[in-house]
Structures are given as structure tokens and as C-alpha cells.
Amino acid sequence: LTGAGGSSVLTPLLVLLYGMPALPAVGTDLVAALVMKPVGGLVHLHHRTVRMDIVGWLALGSVPGAVLGVGILSLAGGSASPLLLPLLGAALLATAVAMLARPRLRAAAERRGREWTRRSGSTGDVSRRQVRRTLTLSVGLCGGVLVGLTSVGSGSLMVVGITMCYPELSMAELVGTDLVAAVPMVGAAALGHLVTGGVHFGVAGVLLIGAIPGTFLGARLSSRTDGRLARGALIAVLAATGVKLIGVV
């Protein structure tokens, strides 16, 4: 529905409610997300709300970034576990702040886009403006590293980055582009965790029993609505969970 919340919610639930260690929780969630993301992405592709030119440049950065994130965890070994929960909490807080600030950031980016159009005298289709390759690749790289480390970031943080690069996109295009771009990124991160053995397939399978129809329903709704109510509730949950994981409460 919002382009965010899958990993941001599922990974903390696995840790806090089911007592799963952080490392396998991240890997298990990524494997589940690898199945969920294409479901939502296919719906948006059907509704033609995906910018594939942007997806390609995001993937060029996000795939090696995800491999790098998993590699950092692998090299850190057991010493990574005590640091992973605070890192995950910080990522959740950053996600909540990003979702809260996204409307204002989008409005500011749109104003800059209109000013650019006025100064350049462009009269073409603004929604198909040339891809900003370096910025897009950088957003993908940063998002990929974060996803490889924590499984968080493929949703709202990436959407915020895409918003800043492409303020002219509609909300449906933002969500659709983010969902499709997340597939190769999450796939690379999930493969890395599979290689390192940090995945519980039984848990991932049970998650998907509910997640696949939920993702399909949310994607259909997001192609027709802005998901404002769901986004507000998600922000509150992410902020509270982030604070809990950091250990403030």
C-alpha cells in the first residue's frame, strides 16, 4: 500500500515477538521479501506505473551495494550480532522520519523541478525527463548497503531518494518503481544470506502465506489511493519499534 513496511515491520516482529536472533531474522525476512516484491511489482507493471529506465540505474547501484552489506556482516561474524539490533532500530527511526518528511520533501523537490523547467524553457513531457544517472545510481548503492545489513530500506528510504531525484513522478509511479527496483536488490541480499546460512525457510514460508495476498491487495489499493491513513499508522509503529530496538525504552 505504501511502498514500505514489509521488512521494516517483519524483521522487528521476528526479533521482538518470536525471539529469533537478529542475523537469521534479517536473512529470513529478505527471502520472504524476495517473493513479496515481485507480486506488488507485477500489479504496478500491469497498471503501467513503473519507470523501467529509473529501475535499471537503481539496480546498477543497489545490487553491488546489497552484496557489500552482506559481506560486511559476514566479515564481522559473531561480533556483528550485538550491533545489529541498534543498527536495525536506527534504520527504522530513519524510515519513520523519511516517511513523515516525504510529503514536504516531495513538495520542495517539485518546486525545484518547476523552477528548472521555467529556467530551461523546456516544453516537453516533464514526467519523462532524462534519467539522472549518477544520483540514481548513488541512491541505489546506499539503499543496497542498508538492505544487505538490516533488510530495511528497500521501501520508504528508497522512495524518498527516488522522490528527491524525480519529483515529477506520481505517487503510484514512485511506489511502482520502488517495488520493481527492489527485486534485484533484495534478491542479491537474500542470496548473500542464503550463502552464509542465515535463513529459516520454515518461518519464511509461513510469512508468505499471509504476505502474498496482503501484498497483492496493498498494491492494487496503492494504484488507486495515496495510502495516507496506512502511512500514518506505519510511521507510529516504526518509530516505537526503532526506539525499542535501540534500547531507549
Side-chain angles (χ1 to χ4, degrees):
L1 183 60
T2 65
S7 297
S8 303
V9 172
L10 290 180
T11 301
L13 282 177
L14 292 175
V15 173
L16 296 176
L17 292 186
Y18 296 97
M20 184 179 290
L23 280 173
V26 169
T28 300
D29 176 67
L30 283 168
V31 170
L34 182 58
V35 179
M36 287 190 290
K37 295 289 185 181
V39 174
L42 286 172
V43 174
H44 279 274
L45 283 169
H46 175 72
H47 288 279
R48 298 182 179 180
T49 53
V50 179
R51 283 285 302 271
M52 290 303 299
D53 50 349
I54 297 174
V55 168
W57 283 96
L58 285 171
L60 282 177
S62 66
V63 170
V67 173
L68 176 60
V70 176
I72 293 172
L73 285 180
S74 179
L75 289 174
S79 61
S81 297
L83 300 175
L84 196 52
L85 286 182
L87 180 61
L88 178 58
L92 294 180
L93 287 177
T95 301
V97 171
M99 293 187 69
L100 189 62
R102 191 168 74 188
R104 292 186 179 182
L105 292 173
R106 180 174 172 81
E110 285 175 342
R111 285 195 297 270
R112 290 197 302 272
R114 287 193 295 268
E115 182 65 17
W116 179 90
T117 301
R118 184 184 66 80
R119 290 182 177 179
S120 65
S122 174
T123 57
D125 184 357
V126 176
S127 68
R128 295 294 163 184
R129 196 182 297 160
Q130 185 176 4
V131 174
R132 300 157 181 84
R133 296 178 179 179
T134 302
L135 283 174
T136 307
L137 192 148
S138 299
V139 167
L141 178 63
C142 294
V145 172
L146 187 60
V147 168
L149 286 171
T150 67
S151 80
V152 175
S154 64
S156 65
L157 291 178
M158 288 289 287
V159 167
V160 168
I162 298 170
T163 297
M164 298 307 294
C165 293
Y166 304 96
E168 64 272 13
L169 297 183
S170 68
M171 185 57 67
E173 285 179 315
L174 283 171
V175 175
T177 300
D178 171 66
L179 281 170
V180 174
V183 174
M185 173 174 57
V186 171
L191 180 61
H193 281 275
L194 282 170
V195 171
T196 59
V199 176
H200 285 248
F201 288 101
V203 176
V206 176
L207 285 174
L208 289 171
I209 292 174
I212 290 176
T215 304
F216 179 78
L217 176 61
R220 287 191 59 118
L221 290 174
S222 72
S223 66
R224 297 175 173 83
T225 69
D226 61 3
R228 189 173 302 173
L229 180 62
R231 193 178 303 115
L234 181 58
I235 289 171
V237 171
L238 294 180
T241 307
V243 170
K244 178 67 175 178
L245 288 173
I246 291 174
V248 176
V249 176

